[in-house]
Amino acid sequence: MKKILLIFFVVFFSLSVRADFITAEQAFIHKKYQEAFNGFLLPAESGDFRAQYYLGYMYLNGLGTTKDEKKAIEFFTMAANQGHGEAILNLGLAYYNGDGVEKDNEKAIDLFKQVLKKEYPYAGRYLANAYMNSNDPDKIQKAEQAYEISARYHDYESFYRLGELYESEGDLGKAMRYYEYSATKGDCSLGYKLGMKYINGKGVEKNIIRGCAWLEIANLNGNCEQVKETVSMLKKSMSREQSQKIDEEFNRLNTRLRKIKSPFEAEVVRTRTQRKPIIYLYPEERINIQVGLGFPENVIHTYPKYNGLWQIQAEPNGNLTDLKTGRHYYALYWEGKNTVSTSIPQEGFIVAGKDTIVFLEEKLYQLGLTELEAEEFIIYWLPKLESVPYNLIRFQTVAEQNKNMPLNVTPVPQTLIRVMMEYKNLDKPIQIKEQILPEKPKRNGFTLVEWGGMEI
């Protein structure tokens, strides 16, 4: 009986604490901060990390209580220790800025990384800022990768920061694509920054007309007083003809920017081509096989010539005969545009050029290639990988490959092995999370094998 009463008490207490939290949260939403603060105290003492986060936030901003940064850190730490993403993020910002704790950039980086793994939208920007303030020799590359993560979550400030990185590296053309996209899609502060670059001639040729036009674009994204005041002040010293030119430039920019695409989309079409995908077919007996490429509009080269379908007679040893021409082949070849993967992988392998052979022999075996298939892969890619100091290498998942270029095969293979390598030449190694490859596939029945690669 005592045990039953104890269980009842625990359940009742738990429900009561939960009710207190819900009531306090509603009070917070309705800006009844004193009531909310008092309501979060009991749930926080009982270990509710949500209530602990709220109390940290309220202490940090002086809502419903006296502002106390040290108290805020205490509650953020409690919530962060239980994995609360926003608490971890706020704790990282505290260490980054030195708010309530001694400033510690390395600690901030560690915390931002934790949240980044959970794909918190703005963590990449904060992590990149921390990298830029560090002594890490690879801080530029790491910051670029981190900014890209947030940019892909539509953090337009990160697009602008990427523009600054590319400008600092001397690639103004690429920088402007990022500046313009951020200024078009983001809030008015980003358009204001770009407009002032033209007005002051910082990094670009001075052009007050274009600068004012960008300020007008910025005003569309937020109706900012600062933008209005700047434009008004500049126009006072302008002639009617100059003001008219601003209107013309505004109309020209506004028309073009309605169709603006993310710089990432532009880079996919421009730079990412799948090289040398070749397809091997191994049926259990001699059979006729039809092979179709799911997105023929993205295909650049094929051999034998692809005209909507390859019709092949295949033998168990892999020998192929084109049923249209009678010619014999050992594989089918195609090249095409890649439209799926990100520009810079967040996981992979850093491989010294001199270690390329050993690395590929090991990984291609694990991915399911035979020695002969791996040999052909290595022979093709070795000159591109071995002649540089280091490479970042990642292997696409089969799901990514199927999404990018589905294969329509009749009869359907019982075993499908697709290996698509992404690589980027590096002057020096960088830190990256090591990719975990799937277990080696077993070849059962009719087997289709494909391999290829691309530079990123």
Side-chain angles (χ1 to χ4, degrees):
M1 185 67 178
K2 289 182 179 179
K3 186 175 182 180
I4 293 174
L5 287 172
L6 179 61
I7 293 172
F8 174 78
F9 174 77
V10 170
V11 171
F12 179 79
F13 181 76
S14 177
L15 292 173
S16 175
V17 168
R18 183 180 178 188
D20 286 345
F21 173 80
I22 293 172
T23 301
E25 187 174 45
Q26 286 299 312
F28 182 89
I29 291 170
H30 291 94
K31 299 183 179 180
K32 299 177 181 178
Y33 296 126
Q34 183 65 61
E35 181 182 333
F37 179 83
N38 293 332
F40 284 132
L41 289 172
L42 180 58
E45 284 181 17
S46 303
D48 190 310
F49 58 84
R50 300 166 301 172
Q52 291 165 351
Y53 166 73
Y54 270 116
L55 287 176
Y57 183 85
M58 296 178 83
Y59 271 120
L60 183 66
N61 295 283
L63 301 175
T65 186
T66 304
K67 185 173 181 176
D68 189 329
E69 291 178 345
K70 289 186 177 180
K71 278 283 188 183
I73 296 303
E74 287 179 21
F75 281 102
F76 281 146
T77 302
M78 292 179 198
N81 288 340
Q82 298 187 70
H84 191 285
E86 289 183 66
I88 296 171
L89 184 65
N90 276 277
L91 202 56
L93 288 169
Y95 279 105
Y96 178 74
N97 295 312
D99 294 334
V101 291
E102 186 177 346
K103 191 169 184 177
D104 188 333
N105 200 62
E106 294 305 311
K107 179 73 173 176
I109 287 174
D110 289 340
L111 289 163
F112 291 144
K113 280 183 178 179
Q114 291 179 39
V115 190
L116 191 64
K117 292 176 183 177
K118 298 181 180 181
E119 299 180 342
Y120 195 85
Y122 305 113
R125 188 213 306 173
Y126 299 135
L127 176 60
N129 293 345
Y131 274 133
M132 294 302 289
N133 284 334
S134 74
N135 296 319
D136 192 315
D138 300 316
K139 65 181 183 180
I140 300 296
Q141 287 176 310
K142 290 180 179 180
E144 181 180 357
Q145 291 177 13
Y147 280 135
E148 274 210 12
I149 293 173
S150 283
R152 291 179 186 280
Y153 279 101
H154 310 294
D155 177 34
Y156 299 110
E157 176 72 26
S158 288
F159 277 100
Y160 197 92
R161 298 291 180 86
L162 281 168
E164 290 178 326
L165 278 183
Y166 297 132
E167 183 181 343
S168 69
E169 294 172 352
D171 192 342
L172 186 58
K174 189 173 184 179
M176 290 307 297
R177 289 197 297 274
Y178 282 79
Y179 286 143
E180 290 190 355
Y181 188 75
S182 70
T184 304
K185 300 295 184 179
D187 63 36
C188 65
S189 68
L190 299 173
Y192 179 80
K193 286 182 182 179
L194 182 54
M196 295 308 293
K197 280 180 75 70
Y198 280 109
I199 290 168
N200 297 317
K202 289 188 176 180
V204 295
E205 186 176 348
K206 188 170 183 176
N207 188 328
I208 294 178
I209 300 299
R210 181 165 296 173
C212 286
W214 270 110
L215 293 182
E216 297 280 18
I217 294 289
N219 202 43
L220 294 177
N221 295 335
N223 196 25
C224 300
E225 289 301 320
Q226 184 182 27
V227 172
K228 288 181 179 179
E229 291 173 5
T230 303
V231 173
S232 176
M233 179 185 70
L234 289 168
K235 281 188 172 181
K236 284 181 180 178
S237 60
M238 290 183 179
S239 64
R240 178 181 294 181
E241 182 182 0
Q242 287 175 312
S243 294
Q244 187 176 347
K245 285 183 178 179
I246 292 174
D247 293 338
E248 291 172 357
E249 181 68 4
F250 167 81
N251 290 330
R252 185 189 70 81
L253 284 174
N254 197 32
T255 300
R256 178 171 67 83
L257 296 173
R258 287 175 188 170
K259 300 177 182 179
I260 195 169
K261 293 183 178 180
S262 165
F264 298 131
E265 294 181 41
E267 287 174 8
V268 164
V269 175
R270 187 177 66 258
T271 65
R272 295 177 64 81
T273 300
Q274 293 181 319
R275 303 291 183 190
K276 195 68 184 294
I278 60 173
I279 300 170
Y280 308 91
L281 302 168
Y282 304 105
E284 293 184 293
E285 58 184 9
R286 180 185 295 174
I287 59 172
N288 293 345
I289 301 173
Q290 294 182 340
V291 179
L293 300 173
F295 299 128
E297 66 273 16
N298 290 336
V299 173
I300 300 171
H301 305 292
T302 60
Y303 185 74
K305 190 68 176 177
Y306 181 81
N307 292 307
L309 199 67
W310 279 309
Q311 299 187 54
I312 300 294
Q313 184 182 83
E315 300 180 28
N317 63 3
N319 290 339
L320 308 178
T321 302
D322 188 333
L323 294 175
K324 293 181 180 179
T325 65
R327 292 186 65 88
H328 301 291
Y329 304 92
Y330 74 91
L332 308 174
Y333 156 78
W334 67 275
E335 283 194 359
K337 299 173 184 176
N338 180 81
T339 60
V340 176
S341 295
T342 58
S343 296
I344 299 179
Q346 300 306 309
E347 62 176 15
F349 306 92
I350 304 301
V351 184
K354 62 182 177 61
D355 298 331
T356 299
I357 292 177
V358 174
F359 170 81
L360 289 179
E361 286 178 343
E362 176 189 335
K363 300 307 180 187
L364 296 177
Y365 171 81
Q366 185 175 347
L367 291 167
L369 298 193
T370 65
E371 287 186 353
L372 178 60
E373 294 159 357
E375 178 185 359
E376 292 180 336
F377 183 105
I378 293 170
I379 288 172
Y380 180 80
W381 291 107
L382 190 61
K384 298 173 174 59
L385 302 175
E386 192 178 41
S387 58
V388 298
Y390 293 90
N391 290 289
L392 163 58
I393 294 177
R394 175 185 178 268
F395 296 97
Q396 285 188 2
T397 65
V398 173
E400 287 173 325
Q401 295 174 70
N402 289 342
K403 183 177 179 181
N404 183 70
M405 182 61 77
L407 296 178
N408 304 316
V409 184
T410 306
V412 177
Q414 292 167 269
T415 303
L416 177 65
I417 299 173
R418 305 189 77 180
V419 177
M420 179 58 61
M421 176 186 71
E422 302 175 334
Y423 75 94
K424 181 179 178 64
N425 298 146
L426 302 173
D427 293 328
K428 53 188 176 182
I430 62 173
Q431 293 295 319
I432 191 169
K433 182 181 178 181
E434 184 169 305
Q435 182 180 9
I436 299 175
L437 298 179
E439 292 184 6
K440 182 182 178 182
K442 295 181 180 179
R443 299 193 180 199
N444 297 315
F446 169 30
T447 300
L448 182 152
V449 179
E450 178 193 55
W451 63 256
M454 71 183 76
E455 185 175 6
I456 54 177

